[in-house]
Amino acid sequence: ETGVTQTPRHLVMGMTNKKSLKCEQHLGHNAMYWYKQSAKKPLELMFVYNFKEQTENNSVPSRFSPECPNSSHLFLHLHTLQPEDSALYLCASSRSGQGVNEQFFGPGTRLTVL
Amino acid sequence: SQQGEEDPQALSIQEGENATMNCSYKTSINNLQWYRQNSGRGLVHLILIRSNEREKHSGRLRVTLDTSKKSSSLLITASRAADTASYFCATDANTDKLIFGTGTRLQVFP
């Protein structure tokens, strides 16, 4: 256990559905991240939150909408996704987004878009 | 283009052998990290080496960093079947973000 939990672990959704991914960290960290991992591609950083403020949006399509209500929780709201959005979505946290620290990852949500 | 690239893409060895993975990157860095990922799971941090360090050890892991060549290596000694996983290097490229490579898939046969 890394201290970062993600739910659900698996999600199948149609292109017209709306769903949300949840991430929670129990490490007292101030920075949280969403990554997308597709087969045979490097891990792609999607969003960074530092002290609840979004500090990075890596040109992510608007059908992905992040929310960070506090430093321990991070959501990724999904709507009108495309089949190419199927991937493993990983959440991570670290002490701070200032400089680069060790990141702690959750187990991921395996998303399949039909 | 991506910051880190691991080599080889895949590596198969027998238990007890050593496994060496290499990482090359393009821009200057503050530090380089190695992570491990079991199939379909999250990444686990293994070791961080700073740009002013040349070598670091952690248990059976040995990491080297050559900033002049912009490369790093991860050596796993006396490998075990449980070491089977993908291994990624990640660099900060003097920013507050980590950029990951595509990884090396290591298979250790008992």
Side-chain angles (χ1 to χ4, degrees):
Chain A
E1 287 296 328
T2 61
V4 181
T5 58
Q6 287 186 247
T7 55
R9 293 294 310 278
H10 300 271
L11 178 62
V12 179
M13 60 187 287
M15 290 191 284
T16 58
N17 291 156
K18 289 185 181 181
K19 297 285 183 184
S20 296
L21 310 185
K22 179 182 175 183
C23 175
E24 184 173 358
Q25 58 96 359
H26 310 273
L27 302 167
H29 289 163
N30 294 308
M32 296 187 78
Y33 311 79
W34 278 117
Y35 288 91
K36 175 183 178 183
Q37 187 176 35
S38 306
K40 302 195 175 171
K41 281 183 158 184
L43 205 61
E44 298 173 55
L45 178 65
M46 299 175 73
F47 300 104
V48 180
Y49 277 82
N50 200 15
F51 292 94
K52 301 188 298 179
E53 299 296 320
Q54 187 181 121
T55 57
E56 181 80 23
N57 176 338
N58 203 20
S59 302
V60 180
S62 59
R63 57 186 185 271
F64 295 91
S65 174
E67 178 190 0
C68 188
N70 55 61
S71 292
S72 299
H73 294 86
L74 185 64
F75 295 89
L76 188 62
H77 303 300
L78 317 170
H79 62 98
T80 59
L81 294 192
Q82 304 298 311
E84 59 264 30
D85 296 323
S86 299
L88 182 68
Y89 288 85
L90 293 164
C91 172
S93 70
S94 67
R95 279 181 300 160
S96 168
Q98 295 296 319
V100 175
N101 300 299
E102 171 188 351
Q103 293 187 9
F104 292 76
F105 284 79
T109 294
R110 173 68 63 185
L111 174 67
T112 302
V113 182
L114 301 176
Chain B
S1 59
Q2 64 197 45
Q3 170 72 337
E5 292 189 21
E6 289 89 345
D7 168 61
Q9 290 188 345
L11 179 62
S12 295
I13 59 174
Q14 294 292 132
E15 260 190 329
E17 294 180 339
N18 295 341
T20 299
M21 289 158 269
N22 303 295
C23 169
S24 60
Y25 57 92
K26 293 183 171 60
T27 64
S28 62
I29 61 172
N30 289 316
N31 65 59
L32 183 145
Q33 303 181 37
W34 284 92
Y35 287 79
R36 163 199 167 119
Q37 183 181 34
N38 287 78
S39 180
R41 303 297 300 252
L43 281 71
V44 175
H45 181 266
L46 295 176
I47 199 163
L48 181 154
I49 186 165
R50 301 193 187 283
S51 59
N52 60 354
E53 297 176 307
R54 291 295 166 259
E55 189 171 310
K56 206 159 182 181
H57 297 254
S58 177
R60 293 184 295 114
L61 305 181
R62 173 178 168 254
V63 168
T64 61
L65 179 63
D66 186 334
T67 53
S68 66
K69 295 181 179 177
K70 292 186 169 59
S71 67
S72 173
S73 67
L74 170 66
L75 168 67
I76 304 174
T77 60
S79 63
R80 305 166 182 168
D83 294 327
T84 295
S86 292
Y87 292 82
F88 297 87
C89 69
T91 54
D92 63 350
N94 278 329
T95 68
D96 58 358
K97 299 180 293 188
L98 278 182
I99 302 175
F100 289 81
T102 51
T104 293
R105 293 186 308 281
L106 173 66
Q107 175 79 52
V108 181
F109 291 99

